[in-house]
Amino acid sequence: MFKNNPLQFLTLIIMIYLSACTKKSYLPDKKSSEEQASSLSTDKYGPIKTKKNKYKLSNKQLLNWSNIKSHNQYFPDGGITRFKVGSKWRFTMSGSTSYIYEGENIWPENASIKISEAFGQQQYNCNPDNGGKWLNNIEQLDDENNLVGFYHVEDHWCKEQEADDNRYWASIGVVYSNDGGKTFKSLGGSRNEGYIIKSSKPKPSSKTFGGAGNGHVFKGQDGNWYAIYSEYEANANNYVLHIARSTNYFASPGTWKKYYKGSFTTNALHTNGLKTALKNGHGFLLGANPFVQWNHKIKKYVMVYHKWGGTIRCATSPDLIHWGSDREIIGGHAYYEYPSLMSSEENNTITDYTRLYYSRKASEKSIHRNFEVQTLSVW
């Protein structure tokens, strides 16, 4: 076709040559190829690149919350969240029971007024919440006084027979308030109707640690509810983070689906349902009690959580499914647990930095808990 047009033929040859040179100039060396491969996750749609992020922490600050500890020995024992009613800020304070405290500004360490009775006191009976239940976080609905609260609940196999045996089977439930957090009720007033997530295995007759709990429920950037929670995974021989979703406005029981092989398909209340554990390029995300924030700057979710070995870790994800390398950000000789994130923004989002609150004990067996805070930056 170029027989009568040598100029066109020459132009084509030059273009092919330049294209080949361009491709060659962008070939990575061996080291950069290995780094890229280690940062890839794969799903049914193919590889997804998850860029590694960096973290920086400020010095620790010890918070003196003796007024809260005086009636809540295990505080803190879960997430702390914030919501505004009128001109006042209110906060969940979780231990063996839960209270709502009120303060003058956006930071929980300045909250001093208890505005609610205890939620989820331990029951000395054989009901499924006999080991207690406590709020991990609260979200507001259409009105500032209309709240939905998500709680961790423990079954201790008839607590009156326990005698210092703290083994439990966990679940996650939801309750509602129409008075700004002073009182909470489950749908229908039933003790059992509030459950939204149960273990993929039925509760055994013999006592053992297990179930599905120690989680954080939050609104994703797509407007849906997500719960990241901890459940034992036999393949890892450890507690591993999992995820479930509800597209229902009220996050009602029966509307939750666990993530399984690329989609949210498994009924979260079925005790014989399948689920997929969260992983990154290095394996399972091992731990419990996560707390998730959306970071505008890096356009990713930032998740902190603790391993049952007493360290706090951090990982990021663009979509809550594909996670980058997790990194230990707090550890050492002490025992650290129950991290929460809170920024100066009113919603559960962050642009520049956030505050990381957590519990610190001298050792795993220690009873006394300090409450500490550091500033966390992620980029």
Side-chain angles (χ1 to χ4, degrees):
M1 62 181 286
F2 300 106
K3 183 176 180 181
N4 298 321
N5 195 342
L7 180 61
Q8 187 177 7
F9 178 75
L10 179 61
T11 301
L12 178 63
I13 293 298
I14 294 174
M15 290 177 64
I16 293 173
Y17 176 77
L18 290 175
S19 176
C21 292
T22 302
K23 289 181 180 179
K24 184 176 180 181
S25 66
Y26 282 99
L27 288 175
D29 58 24
K30 180 179 180 182
K31 181 178 179 182
S32 61
S33 297
E34 291 173 347
E35 289 177 349
Q36 184 182 38
S38 68
S39 66
L40 295 180
S41 299
T42 304
D43 68 358
K44 63 181 181 180
Y45 301 109
I48 293 180
K49 188 175 181 180
T50 52
K51 179 183 176 182
K52 294 182 180 179
N53 292 103
K54 296 182 179 180
Y55 311 90
K56 182 180 180 181
L57 282 168
S58 68
N59 294 329
K60 300 176 182 179
Q61 178 184 352
L62 176 63
L63 302 176
N64 179 19
W65 280 4
S66 57
N67 60 321
I68 297 175
K69 287 180 176 292
S70 64
H71 56 71
N72 209 335
Q73 175 183 351
Y74 295 102
F75 176 82
D77 200 81
I80 293 181
T81 53
R82 174 184 67 198
F83 59 99
K84 192 175 185 180
V85 177
S87 61
K88 305 292 185 180
W89 289 96
R90 294 179 180 177
F91 306 85
T92 57
M93 304 295 190
S94 301
S96 55
T97 56
S98 295
Y99 296 86
I100 306 298
Y101 269 71
E102 188 174 84
E104 297 292 332
N105 61 29
I106 62 176
W107 304 120
E109 59 265 35
N110 298 316
S112 59
I113 302 173
K114 181 164 68 74
I115 66 133
S116 73
E117 297 299 324
F119 167 81
Q121 289 179 309
Q122 292 182 340
Q123 308 289 321
Y124 292 88
N125 52 40
C126 292
N127 290 323
D129 59 353
N130 60 77
K133 54 187 178 183
W134 45 98
L135 294 165
N136 269 337
N137 58 287
I138 284 177
E139 297 284 346
Q140 286 173 311
L141 295 174
D142 56 337
D143 180 88
E144 64 181 17
N145 286 299
N146 292 333
L147 313 173
V148 53
F150 303 96
Y151 62 90
H152 167 84
V153 59
E154 296 183 359
D155 186 341
H156 284 212
W157 283 271
C158 300
K159 190 166 178 63
E160 72 271 25
Q161 305 171 10
E162 189 173 349
D164 297 328
D165 188 346
N166 291 321
R167 288 176 292 181
Y168 63 82
W169 197 255
S171 301
I172 298 175
V174 62
V175 286
Y176 302 89
S177 173
N178 59 7
D179 56 11
K182 294 180 180 178
T183 59
F184 290 91
K185 295 180 180 179
S186 61
L187 292 179
S190 167
R191 185 182 297 275
N192 297 307
E193 285 184 10
Y195 292 139
I196 58 174
I197 298 174
K198 289 187 176 182
S199 173
S200 299
K201 298 178 180 179
K203 189 190 78 170
S205 57
S206 58
K207 294 183 178 183
T208 182
F209 283 109
N214 295 297
H216 180 214
V217 184
F218 56 95
K219 275 283 186 74
Q221 290 300 292
D222 58 2
N224 294 318
W225 296 101
Y226 290 91
I228 297 183
Y229 62 95
S230 181
E231 187 170 0
Y232 184 80
E233 192 72 34
N235 292 338
N237 192 27
N238 210 322
Y239 287 89
V240 180
L241 296 179
H242 298 74
I243 188 168
R245 183 184 72 183
S246 172
T247 59
N248 177 263
Y249 175 76
F250 295 101
S252 302
T255 67
W256 286 83
K257 304 290 184 181
K258 294 178 181 178
Y259 182 77
Y260 178 62
K261 289 188 175 180
S263 61
F264 293 91
T265 55
T266 300
N267 188 323
L269 291 176
H270 282 182
T271 56
N272 59 351
L274 298 172
K275 83 285 185 195
T276 301
L278 294 180
K279 295 181 179 181
N280 60 19
H282 301 287
F284 292 106
L285 296 180
L286 307 176
N289 291 289
F291 201 102
V292 181
Q293 260 186 348
W294 173 255
N295 188 307
H296 300 293
K297 181 175 290 186
I298 63 175
K299 291 181 170 52
K300 289 182 181 180
Y301 294 94
V302 175
M303 178 174 66
V304 291
Y305 58 99
H306 73 98
K307 293 186 71 173
W308 287 118
T311 63
I312 293 177
R313 305 186 71 83
C314 186
T316 60
S317 170
D319 58 5
L320 299 172
I321 303 299
H322 303 92
W323 292 89
S325 299
D326 59 323
R327 176 181 172 184
E328 179 181 311
I329 57 174
I330 299 179
H333 299 296
Y335 200 86
Y336 300 93
E337 299 172 300
Y338 307 110
S340 296
L341 296 174
M342 198 169 294
S343 76
S344 57
E345 298 180 17
E346 290 195 11
N347 298 318
N348 189 27
T349 57
I350 172 181
T351 299
D352 293 316
Y353 68 90
T354 189
R355 291 189 181 187
L356 170 62
Y357 297 88
Y358 55 88
S359 167
R360 179 185 183 275
K361 300 190 297 185
S363 67
E364 180 180 3
K365 301 298 182 181
S366 176
I367 296 176
H368 178 73
R369 304 183 185 196
N370 286 333
F371 198 60
E372 296 181 347
V373 61
Q374 293 179 254
T375 296
L376 172 65
S377 299
V378 182
W379 69 95

